[in-house]
């Protein structure tokens, strides 16, 4: 990066770059909370330069009067990121964003230090410093959504790996020769345990479900209306079949969690993303499977498996943590 | 720990506590290599106190004239270890060694700082600083032997986890409801890919093998003489069945490696332990399976999968690294 941050300044600007919105927030390093925020539509179809301009405009909207008081800008991107070189590797929801050196491009435009991170990694940082992982130095965050992503804090540091690609638990192989994965692999965790997978399994079952099935009723027998959320509502109202789909997904997640325990021995596993809003419907089978597949009770007895606490602002708080770290 | 090391001193004593031998070596922090070494039989059956006495005696044998020049003692134990409290959790080959606070007990006896580590973790440190991982900040070491152990270096630090139990890749679940594992689990990596597993599979096949089979010939048709090493010799001499057993083991290891890549994105995977002496017979299927199961070429293209370079002295060099680290 071009600029190394002076230590006397006191503001951080955090940006959450999403496929739909770009959000920016002004933080102080001396008091908790967001001082000012702004959100604009991403207009991703206009291409890389236009989105970079929008990012800068959103940042300007939260800029403090004393520009020199901004120590750094932290940005979360919906993509694998090379944090060492500030490169957005490939953002599926942002057309044209393939190997974009966004860090350097934004530093040139903004004339301030910019640090880039993967959005799920930043959510892990947010949970660590402000959410369900406070006080822990070893945690794994999983986001269960249309796909499955994650972030690892080990020994009080974000694990990024040699090229910034660490923390992708969604691509653990859990079913040899299982369903095809978006990445080209087979039987990866997200093919059997993501929201997409839960909805797909429910749609597969739909034609054979009894007429009393709540999945049938709530969806009006329309496969297009079957979502993981609908399945969780059916389960909450007592539908056994719906519950068993969450059991199945949670068991796969718990088994992958057991593998992660033997590698990283964390004290807490944090489940975020839309599917984890189902709460214990998902978390209880995760806990049981983690126990069943783990090597020894010494891994699972002191372990907590809990829901994420940061919801809408995880990306912003995570970008704030990223940009405030001296490392 | 009781004593914090002064920084002007220049010696480190490294100890490799094994089920058979206790080995100690004197290192200088200012020049590479072992200055002096000693080895004694462990006499494990005599119990914890006797072994602690033997450790102290072995250390005394390599003690420099100026005792005050010893900055710290590093000890590798064949057990999970709580490195924060210096506790040997459970050493299967050392009767009575269950939750032994060896760090503190040895500090009291020796009146010098003692740091304790798991032997496979220390082998990872040795490979990192002196072996196949030199210059890398992100590596995973696997020891393929009667069981499968390991150690992780990420971002230039040994990953120990919340309670020191990290780095146990042998207990990844790779076959749901597979063979029983020593830990009580099922289908863990070491049940299908360790030396023990390779020998077991060969013994299962033995009665049905053709009379030309080298496994039959080399073992004299005696199941008790079938070992992983014998199978590798048969493979080296062209026996297809023997080769396929290494293929099978290597494929399981490669699949688990792919999971590790998505979590930790290392630049090098180092395979040590007796079974890895088979070289490419084992490593080639590991490489192929890692590619096949990994999420993307960006994980495997820059990755090296290589044999360990440190052989007999990995434990001593690793204990030296452990005790020299300022962390």
């Amino acid at each position: 990066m071009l600029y190394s941050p002076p230590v006397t300044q006191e503001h951080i600007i955090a940006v959450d770059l999403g496929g739909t919105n770009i959000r920016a927030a002004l933080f102080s390093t001396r008091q908790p909370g967001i001082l000012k925020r702004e959100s604009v539509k991403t207009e991703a179809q206009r291409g890389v330069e236009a989105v970079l301009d929008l990012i800068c405009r959103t940042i300007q909207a939260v800029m403090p009067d004393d520009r020199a008081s901004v120590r750094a800008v932290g940005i979360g991107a919906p993509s694998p990121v090379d944090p060492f070189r500030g490169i957005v590797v490939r953002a599926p929801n942002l057309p044209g964003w393939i190997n974009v050196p966004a860090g350097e491009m934004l530093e040139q435009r903004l004339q301030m230090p910019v640090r880039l991170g993967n959005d799920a990694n930043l959510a892990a940082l947010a949970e660590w410093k402000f959410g369900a992982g406070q006080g822990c130095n070893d945690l794994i965050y999983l986001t269960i959504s249309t796909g499955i992503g994650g972030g690892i804090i080990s020994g009080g540091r974000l694990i990024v790996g040699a090229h910034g690609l660490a923390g992708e638990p969604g691509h653990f192989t859990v079913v040899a020769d299982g369903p095809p994965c978006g990445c080209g692999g087979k039987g990866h965790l997200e093919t059997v345990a993501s929201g997409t997978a839960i909805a797909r399994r429910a749609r597969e079952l739909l034609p054979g479900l009894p007429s009393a099935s709540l999945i049938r009723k709530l969806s009006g027998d329309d496969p297009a209306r079957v979502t993981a959320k609908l399945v969780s509502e059916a389960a909450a109202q007592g539908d056994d079949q719906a519950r068993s789909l969450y059991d199945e997904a949670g068991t796969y997640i718990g088994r992958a969690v057991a593998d992660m325990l033997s590698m990283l021995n964390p004290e807490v596993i944090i489940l975020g993303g839309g599917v984890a809003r189902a709460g214990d419907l998902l978390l209880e089978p995760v806990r049981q499977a983690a126990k069943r597949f783990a090597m020894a009770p010494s891994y699972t007895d002191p372990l907590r498996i809990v829901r994420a606490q940061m919801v809408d602002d995880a990306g912003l708080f995570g970008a704030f943590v990223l940009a405030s770290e001296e490392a």
Side-chain angles (χ1 to χ4, degrees), chain A residues 155-169:
Chain A
R157 284 190 331 177
L158 179 68
I159 297 294
V160 294
H163 308 286
L165 304 176
E168 290 291 351

Side-chain angles (χ1 to χ4, degrees), chain A residues 67-78:
Chain A
R67 214 187 128 83
S69 73
V70 178
R71 189 198 286 176
V73 176
I75 303 187

Side-chain angles (χ1 to χ4, degrees), chain A residues 81-248:
Chain A
V81 157
D82 180 334
F84 307 108
R85 297 185 296 156
I87 290 174
V88 173
V89 176
R90 199 179 67 83
N93 298 322
L94 298 174
W97 284 70
I98 296 171
N99 292 321
V100 173
E104 202 176 305
M105 291 167 90
L106 287 167
E107 285 190 340
Q108 278 166 8
R109 279 174 163 82
L110 296 164
Q111 298 289 310
M112 44 182 69
V114 171
R115 293 195 64 183
L116 215 63
N118 162 266
D119 53 4
N121 282 359
L122 298 199
L125 288 174
E127 291 293 335
W128 176 37
K129 292 293 184 182
F130 301 103
Q134 285 176 74
C136 297
N137 275 328
D138 295 87
L139 66 84
I140 300 174
Y141 169 80
L142 301 180
T143 169
I144 321 290
S145 181
T146 50
I148 294 182
I152 302 165
I153 310 292
S154 180
R157 284 190 331 177
L158 179 68
I159 297 294
V160 294
H163 308 286
L165 304 176
E168 290 291 351
H171 299 272
F172 265 55
T173 299
V174 292
V175 185
D177 290 316
C181 186
C183 76
K186 278 184 186 174
H188 288 179
L189 182 61
E190 71 175 38
T191 69
V192 292
S194 62
T196 313
I198 291 170
R200 189 196 66 232
R201 289 280 292 128
R203 278 193 292 270
E204 285 167 6
L205 295 176
L206 196 59
L209 291 176
S211 58
S213 154
L214 288 170
I215 298 177
R216 283 188 87 143
K217 288 193 176 162
L218 295 173
S219 68
D221 252 340
D222 176 1
R225 287 174 58 198
V226 174
T227 61
K229 187 157 182 286
L230 180 144
V231 176
S232 82
E233 283 161 5
Q237 292 174 40
D239 188 287
D240 284 344
Q241 194 76 51
R243 176 170 288 275
S244 75
L245 291 176
Y246 270 83
D247 267 351
E248 191 177 295

Side-chain angles (χ1 to χ4, degrees), chain A residues 247-270:
Chain A
D247 267 351
E248 191 177 295
T251 301
Y252 281 122
I253 295 169
R255 186 180 130 187
V257 162
D259 290 346
M260 295 172 207
L261 300 182
S262 67
M263 285 305 277
L264 295 163
N265 185 28
E267 20 180 347
V268 57
I269 302 281
I270 301 171

